[in-house]
Amino acid sequence: MSVSERPRTWPALEFAELAPMVDYLNRLVQVGGKYSLDEPFEVGWGDIVLECTPRGLRTRTYRTAGATFTVHHRLLDGDVVIEADSGTRTIPLTGDPRAPGSVASFYTAFCTAAAELGIAPPPSPLICEIPGAPPTFDDDHAARTWDADAARLIWQGFDLAAHGLEAWQAPFIGHRPRVGVMWGGFDLSATRFRHQPTKPVADRPSFMQSGELYAYVSVGFCFDTTRGADKDPAAERIGLYGYIWPQPDGLDGRSWGVEGAAWRPDLGLVLLPWPTLRRQPDPHQAVVAFGDAVYDAAVATAGWPADALGPRVDGWHMSRTPPPG
């Protein structure tokens, strides 16, 4: 069996064990992500998503007056690398276990490194979408210790889910931002849009209203799908989610492609818990089946076009099929 044919291992992901690092990383990725605040808005927040790389999570390429650069949060290396046309700088995250760091100390080190490359500080120091967080990066002095094992598991969760969601997204011929991690909510998102203007919810933040300008179907992966709303401590929080905007009627009682996936009307989400997913004979294909079921629900209940999907081609196979002639 070649390396490319070896099945991927879907590890167990325990919320209680990963929550401290998820909380820490959610704050760290917002620092580099803030540079997207003044970028032209792409429907579906395509301008802000972080790419899941072989080592971690990376921003898009920013082009500013001072420099062209990216910010790479290397979860497998325990550092953040700013790579610019003017050079590179690395901010270690592993630190000294006897002297834990903090978000505030990281933010200071990041701004110093960015300035050395001719890059201005992030345009906003506000911490967003994290209930109970201090107002700004400078205010967050909670002691943080880097957990390399947890960081690798977090990366594996994103990487495996991204592989499945990219396969699900491939045949859609409408507008679809690239699959990536939203740096605000720290969830991996694959979204399909329909040219149907909708009315945003008035009392929501402006970034959420921008995302509600058009109808969409979203399937993703999150380390807390219930956002703490489920009071049952035994409830599975890590897993896939799916939803349709605007939310249609008729979602109760539907099949969601994978046994164990269920509609949660209290959350407005279809959930597929991670333990259920990893028990499937082929978890990768189960991600695709789950996404297909969410889109099928949009077709059946919200009038989405069934012909917006091209054939699902399994690759060109040119590595083993010589060209004709």
Side-chain angles (χ1 to χ4, degrees), residues 125-141:
L126 298 178
I127 298 175
C128 67
E129 298 187 65
I130 304 178
T136 71
F137 301 127
D138 290 314
D139 298 318
D140 194 336
H141 295 283

Side-chain angles (χ1 to χ4, degrees), residues 95-140:
D96 184 343
R98 296 167 298 179
S102 68
V103 174
S105 62
F106 169 78
Y107 183 62
T108 297
F110 181 93
C111 292
T112 298
E116 293 172 357
L117 297 173
I119 302 168
S124 170
L126 298 178
I127 298 175
C128 67
E129 298 187 65
I130 304 178
T136 71
F137 301 127
D138 290 314
D139 298 318
D140 194 336

Side-chain angles (χ1 to χ4, degrees), residues 46 48 60 69 73 88 99 109 113 132 141 144 185 194-195 199 215 248 281 295 302 315:
I48 75 164
R60 59 175 293 178
F69 66 98
H73 313 85
T88 62
H141 295 283
R144 305 280 184 169
R194 177 184 180 189
H195 186 62
K199 185 177 181 179
Y295 189 80

Side-chain angles (χ1 to χ4, degrees), residues 64-83:
T64 67
T68 297
F69 66 98
T70 64
V71 181
H72 195 178
H73 313 85
R74 301 198 308 175
L75 276 60
L76 303 191
D77 302 285
D79 59 28
V80 172
V81 178
I82 308 173
E83 185 178 44

Side-chain angles (χ1 to χ4, degrees), residues 114-197:
E116 293 172 357
L117 297 173
I119 302 168
S124 170
L126 298 178
I127 298 175
C128 67
E129 298 187 65
I130 304 178
T136 71
F137 301 127
D138 290 314
D139 298 318
D140 194 336
H141 295 283
R144 305 280 184 169
T145 301
W146 185 258
D147 184 336
D149 292 335
R152 175 171 282 276
L153 286 170
I154 291 168
W155 172 82
Q156 280 185 285
F158 279 136
D159 182 58
L160 290 165
H163 190 218
L165 291 174
E166 287 165 353
W168 170 69
Q169 191 70 292
F172 186 65
I173 60 177
H175 176 70
R176 50 183 178 93
R178 61 194 174 99
V179 175
V181 174
M182 302 287 192
W183 53 256
F186 205 56
D187 61 303
L188 181 78
S189 175
T191 310
R192 295 175 174 181
F193 275 83
R194 177 184 180 189
H195 186 62
Q196 175 191 321

Side-chain angles (χ1 to χ4, degrees), residues 164-231:
L165 291 174
E166 287 165 353
W168 170 69
Q169 191 70 292
F172 186 65
I173 60 177
H175 176 70
R176 50 183 178 93
R178 61 194 174 99
V179 175
V181 174
M182 302 287 192
W183 53 256
F186 205 56
D187 61 303
L188 181 78
S189 175
T191 310
R192 295 175 174 181
F193 275 83
R194 177 184 180 189
H195 186 62
Q196 175 191 321
T198 59
K199 185 177 181 179
V201 179
D203 61 352
R204 291 185 176 180
S206 58
F207 77 92
M208 294 185 72
Q209 292 191 46
S210 295
E212 295 174 347
L213 294 173
Y214 294 92
Y216 64 88
V217 174
S218 184
V219 181
F221 166 78
C222 187
F223 286 94
D224 189 0
T225 55
T226 69
R227 298 294 186 190
D230 199 323
K231 303 305 180 184

